Amino acid sequence: AQSVAQPEDQVNVAEGNPLTVKCTYSVSGNPYLFWYVQYPNRGLQFLLKYITGDNLVKGSYGFEAEFNKSQTSFHLKKPSALVSDSALYFCAVRVFYNQGGKLIFGQGTELSVKP
Amino acid sequence: DADVTQTPRNRITKTGKRIMLECSQTKGHDRMYWYRQDPGLGLRLIYYSFDVKDINKGEISDGYSVSRQAQAKFSLSLESAIPNQTALYFCAVDRLAGGNEQFFGPGTRLTVL
């Protein structure tokens, strides 16, 4: 079965420190991977994606993610966390069938950045 | 920005009532989706539509129905609401010729008493 796992329900980081939010996936074929962020009382915002090419992809708000095929991981990273980065983060994988397929989401990781 | 709007933004209703949640988009996206979000479970797909004449069930379609009235509109109905349908509901869109990412509306918080 195709799936996405985010092993940490919550990640706590001090402002200015690097942050990592973990994601692993299980999918047949080449994965299309995505990160979304949800701020309180808001919808999901697209952060970045990996389709093909360079394993390190850069996205919005200074975030980046590293695709690792051998470890089937797609961890989200930021060199220096901000308090405003505090939010709920979702990893997702695109599953293709019919005319386009669908996204399968992980359960989400709550990021808390303290001053 | 996919300009996805959802109405209502919040709704409280009683068990057994019929409820309709509406989604509209203004950028001509082909494909539209309905998800529900529950704490600790992420987002789960309820229904999706790849064009006006194409409706497909997602992983948790029981108790829900949808209507794609036009390319720009995709409505989700709860025929007889029950308390475990209390959740945050999101509409999302994407484009057949797009970059594979989906764009989400602001969500509807539904409470069934």
Side-chain angles (χ1 to χ4, degrees):
Chain A
Q2 306 189 83
S3 63
V4 175
Q6 295 179 239
E8 302 156 316
D9 291 335
Q10 184 157 6
V11 170
N12 297 306
V13 178
E15 188 174 32
N17 284 359
L19 70 86
T20 298
V21 182
K22 296 180 180 177
C23 172
T24 59
Y25 64 90
S26 174
V27 62
S28 56
N30 294 321
Y32 283 41
L33 296 158
F34 304 84
W35 276 102
Y36 286 84
V37 59
Q38 183 181 26
Y39 297 102
N41 300 313
R42 302 285 296 276
L44 275 73
Q45 296 180 33
F46 168 72
L47 273 181
L48 50 79
K49 64 182 177 182
Y50 172 82
I51 304 298
T52 187
D54 194 349
N55 289 344
L56 185 66
V57 294
K58 295 186 182 298
S60 305
Y61 312 121
F63 284 94
E64 57 190 27
E66 186 169 13
F67 171 66
N68 188 316
K69 188 173 184 177
S70 63
Q71 297 186 4
T72 62
S73 67
F74 189 54
H75 300 332
L76 182 70
K77 300 181 179 184
K78 188 173 183 181
S80 179
L82 300 172
V83 172
S84 58
D85 292 329
S86 298
L88 185 58
Y89 290 81
F90 290 99
C91 182
V93 63
R94 184 122 201 171
V95 175
F96 286 94
Y97 56 90
N98 294 339
Q99 299 174 53
K102 62 181 182 180
L103 287 178
I104 297 175
F105 286 85
Q107 74 271 32
T109 298
E110 187 81 40
L111 174 66
S112 177
V113 182
K114 300 295 185 185
Chain B
D1 183 2
D3 285 335
V4 182
T5 59
Q6 292 184 236
T7 56
R9 293 294 311 278
N10 288 282
R11 182 71 183 268
I12 299 174
T13 190
K14 295 182 179 180
T15 297
K17 294 291 187 180
R18 185 178 188 273
I19 296 296
M20 179 180 286
L21 310 183
E22 299 191 358
C23 175
S24 298
Q25 50 106 353
T26 61
K27 294 291 180 69
H29 290 266
D30 316 275
R31 305 182 294 199
M32 301 184 75
Y33 308 79
W34 276 106
Y35 293 90
R36 65 175 279 175
Q37 181 183 7
D38 298 278
L41 296 178
L43 277 77
R44 293 179 291 167
L45 185 63
I46 306 172
Y47 269 96
Y48 59 102
S49 169
F50 287 164
D51 65 41
V52 173
K53 296 181 180 179
D54 178 79
I55 301 290
N56 303 279
K57 291 183 177 181
E59 56 186 304
I60 54 165
S61 59
D62 288 348
Y64 302 93
S65 63
V66 291
S67 173
R68 184 88 183 261
Q69 302 96 317
Q71 187 190 32
K73 296 184 182 296
F74 192 38
S75 300
L76 176 71
S77 293
L78 287 67
E79 298 302 326
S80 180
I82 56 177
N84 76 359
Q85 291 178 313
T86 293
L88 190 54
Y89 290 84
F90 286 106
C91 177
V93 301
D94 66 9
R95 196 184 295 272
L96 183 62
N100 292 292
E101 61 268 32
Q102 291 181 6
F103 300 97
F104 286 78
T108 294
R109 186 169 297 279
L110 177 66
T111 302
V112 183
L113 301 176

